[in-house]
Amino acid sequence: MNLRYKSDIIGALAGSLCFVHCLATPFFFVAQAGLAIDEASHPWWWGTLDILFLAISFFAVYWSTKNTSKSWIKCVFWSLWILLAVIVLNEKLEIGHLMEEVIYLPTLGLISLHFYNRRYCRCEDDNCCTDQ
């Protein structure tokens, strides 16, 4: 299985899982509120999912931009990924306060772009994306 040519599927799947993770987090904390004394208490692995999804999406974006036939897609992919990384790192490092919902914008953008790229922008050979 060549992951290079499956990058849009992997990216859309990772983005979708990330989106579900972000949607589930508030419900997870509400459900756990009755069980935990400390309201910030959550399993260590729950917080690491953000970084895992960010890493997977990095490689999916990297391979998708290597294999796209449209140069503007590359800029949009990387812009959305950088925005997502800044939001996740801001949340982890508590640099500034952002609305929780702001993470949905780059996530949904990446999912949509992976689907669009998969449908309309795939290279047919190794030479179609060179020197654009």
Side-chain angles (χ1 to χ4, degrees), residues 53-123:
F53 290 135
L54 191 61
I56 292 169
S57 69
F58 172 82
F59 290 107
V61 166
Y62 175 78
W63 286 113
S64 292
T65 57
K66 292 285 244 187
N67 295 308
T68 189
S69 62
K70 297 185 179 179
S71 59
W72 67 269
I73 293 281
K74 295 175 186 184
C75 293
V76 177
F77 261 130
W78 285 116
S79 297
L80 287 171
W81 187 86
I82 289 169
L83 180 60
L84 180 63
V86 166
I87 292 168
V88 169
L89 292 176
N90 178 61
E91 183 178 305
K92 296 292 179 197
L93 301 174
E94 299 177 0
I95 297 169
H97 178 70
L98 293 173
M99 295 181 348
E100 295 293 326
E101 295 81 12
V102 76
I103 199 164
Y104 299 138
L105 297 174
T107 303
L108 289 173
L110 282 169
I111 294 167
S112 301
L113 199 57
H114 278 296
F115 281 124
Y116 178 85
N117 192 52
R118 179 86 179 150
R119 176 84 169 126
Y120 299 108
C121 307
R122 299 299 297 183
C123 291

